[in-house]
Amino acid sequence: MSPDEVTVECSWKIENIDKVWEKILWKEKLSQLAEETNINNCFSMSKKTSDPCPCSLKICLTKNRNFIALQILSEVPMIEVHGQYEEYLMTVRGELLDEVDGSALYECRIDLPKMQSEILLKFCKLKEATSVWLYGISAVTKSVETSASVPSLSGKAAGANRLLASLMHGLNQGGKNIDSIETIVDKKLTEMEHRMMSRIDERLDRIEKRMEDENSRIIALLSDIFGCYEQLRSLK
């Protein structure tokens, strides 16, 4: 990895934050981080005096690579993991490796459910801590193929790429001239609206049918009760 391939942000203060990427162990697979890390991989995050915000660390990949998994060695027992656009992914409880004089060492292993170009780590259960030490981070990444026909839109959703590809296909289909991109956009939006309305109509039909069935059962039940009542009256 190089400085132009990784960006690191932290809600708390990190000395020489632009050098944090060098402290991360970039690997092909996760292994025994506790045996691989050393003092050069350690750094601390200090709470800003006037800022009550929780401690979080954001790592972004910028050169067509995505995260697959991470390992965090720290004094934090629980980490909340978010992906692109801060989408919540999971909460990971650390494995306690050691505890000396009230200081604990935890290892959090994060196997992502899907690849992510950025990871936001929120450190939980810090109590009254004003500083947090990270003793090592290892990250497994994978190269991401980009479409030859549609340029990659860095930092945008994959859906945007698919929409752009669809629009470009419409504009160039069969060499025909299309008046404007607005025409294609309007067409796509109209199609989406029709599909949504169709689904809503289907759901309403199912709800109406269910209500009719429930009403029929209620009427039948009331009819049986009334019939029993009439039989009881005739016996008196």
Side-chain angles (χ1 to χ4, degrees):
M1 287 290 177
S2 60
D4 62 333
E5 294 178 302
V6 188
T7 61
V8 178
E9 301 174 12
C10 185
S11 61
W12 286 15
K13 182 181 179 181
I14 299 178
E15 295 291 341
N16 299 319
I17 191 171
D18 57 326
K19 298 295 183 181
V20 169
W21 71 272
E22 296 178 345
K23 299 179 179 293
I24 300 174
L25 299 175
W26 303 98
K27 304 175 68 65
E28 293 184 357
K29 63 179 181 179
L30 299 182
S31 53
Q32 298 298 321
L33 179 57
E35 298 177 2
E36 298 171 335
T37 191
N38 57 56
I39 193 163
N40 294 323
N41 304 118
C42 302
F43 62 93
S44 68
M45 301 176 290
S46 302
K47 189 174 184 178
K48 300 173 184 178
T49 306
S50 59
D51 193 348
C53 69
C55 183
S56 63
L57 183 70
K58 186 176 184 179
I59 310 173
C60 302
L61 302 178
T62 60
K63 294 288 185 179
N64 298 327
R65 295 196 72 84
N66 279 355
F67 289 103
I68 297 176
L70 298 99
Q71 271 175 299
I72 314 293
L73 201 63
S74 72
E75 52 186 348
V76 181
M78 183 183 295
I79 299 177
E80 197 174 282
V81 185
H82 298 251
Q84 293 167 221
Y85 315 108
E86 299 190 12
E87 174 193 5
Y88 173 79
L89 299 178
M90 65 180 75
T91 298
V92 180
R93 294 181 180 274
E95 177 186 357
L96 179 61
L97 301 183
D98 197 5
E99 188 170 11
V100 179
D101 297 331
S103 296
L105 178 64
Y106 295 92
E107 182 180 62
C108 286
R109 181 186 176 112
I110 303 167
D111 293 300
L112 297 171
K114 57 182 179 180
M115 294 192 298
Q116 302 286 335
S117 63
E118 60 186 58
I119 289 293
L120 176 66
L121 305 172
K122 295 186 177 181
F123 301 99
C124 309
K125 295 191 174 181
L126 299 182
K127 298 182 180 179
E128 301 299 324
T130 57
S131 66
V132 176
W133 275 93
L134 292 187
Y135 303 110
I137 300 177
S138 66
V140 180
T141 66
K142 183 178 181 180
S143 177
V144 180
E145 296 294 332
T146 57
S147 172
S149 58
V150 181
S152 174
L153 299 180
S154 176
K156 302 298 182 182
N161 276 336
R162 290 195 295 270
L163 177 59
L164 180 58
S166 175
L167 294 175
M168 294 301 293
H169 176 73
L171 287 170
N172 299 308
Q173 187 177 21
K176 298 178 181 178
N177 293 323
I178 305 297
D179 293 337
S180 67
I181 194 169
E182 286 81 6
T183 304
I184 301 298
V185 172
D186 287 342
K187 182 179 178 182
K188 293 295 181 183
L189 291 176
T190 300
E191 292 174 355
M192 290 172 61
E193 183 180 358
H194 287 166
R195 287 196 298 270
M196 290 177 64
M197 293 304 299
S198 177
R199 291 176 183 174
I200 291 173
D201 289 339
E202 290 175 1
R203 287 194 174 188
L204 289 175
D205 288 341
R206 287 198 297 269
I207 292 172
E208 185 177 355
K209 179 64 167 58
R210 192 177 303 167
M211 291 178 65
E212 289 176 354
D213 293 341
E214 290 295 331
N215 289 338
S216 297
R217 282 195 290 269
I218 291 172
I219 291 172
L221 179 60
L222 291 174
S223 178
D224 290 341
I225 293 173
F226 183 78
C228 292
Y229 175 75
E230 289 296 324
Q231 289 178 7
L232 289 172
R233 288 186 60 187
S234 64
L235 292 175
K236 291 183 179 181

